[in-house]
Amino acid sequence: STPQPRLPVRKDTFPLVTSNTFEKLAYSYAFAQSTKLSVFESIIDSTIEKTKKIPESLARYGTTWMSRRNIAKQLGQLFVLRCNVNLQTDILDTPEILWDFDEWESKYINGKRYFAVSDRVRILNQRLDV
């Protein structure tokens, strides 16, 4: 197949240079992964907000109102979130269909880059470092 021209994604506009369904699918996968990542970002923001008083209490008073068991549960929840982002979702993976139609992978990569998926995952992981 002939290489497709590379038009940049700008101002939330994804230029389609063909009528091929796989071109639309490649951008759709990037959009879906970004949307899924937004859900995780929201959950993690909420979790951090709910638990931020624990380290603040430890720093200020040297103790906290929570038992060791409950603190371990909170740490476990953060670990589960990290596993969900990195291991149990396809956010970091190239969709399998693009393995068979790799001429469209560059469209997917452009979309993923536009949505800053890799950078956002890296930032989430840094936020989950405890």
Side-chain angles (χ1 to χ4, degrees), residues 32-43 91 120 124:
Q33 288 175 332
S34 177
T35 302
K36 193 180 294 188
L37 184 56
S38 293
V39 170
F40 282 118
E41 288 168 330
S42 178
I43 291 169
I91 290 174
R120 290 165 56 203
L124 273 184

Side-chain angles (χ1 to χ4, degrees), residues 4-7 9 14-30 97-98 101 103-111:
Q4 300 299 320
R6 290 185 59 151
L7 297 176
V9 177
F14 290 75
L16 300 176
V17 295
T18 72
S19 60
N20 191 302
T21 302
F22 285 104
E23 181 180 14
K24 296 172 194 164
L25 187 64
Y27 283 131
S28 295
Y29 271 115
I97 190 77
L98 296 177
F101 298 93
E103 66 268 23
W104 301 109
E105 186 176 13
S106 66
K107 301 293 184 186
Y108 162 73
I109 290 169
N110 285 342

Side-chain angles (χ1 to χ4, degrees), residues 56-83:
E56 289 172 359
S57 175
L58 287 169
R60 178 177 264 172
Y61 306 111
T63 186
T64 184
W65 68 95
M66 294 181 73
S67 67
R68 288 181 186 260
R69 180 183 172 130
N70 284 338
I71 291 172
K73 283 182 178 181
Q74 293 293 324
L75 288 171
Q77 285 181 315
L78 293 174
F79 183 72
V80 166
L81 287 172
R82 175 178 245 162
C83 286

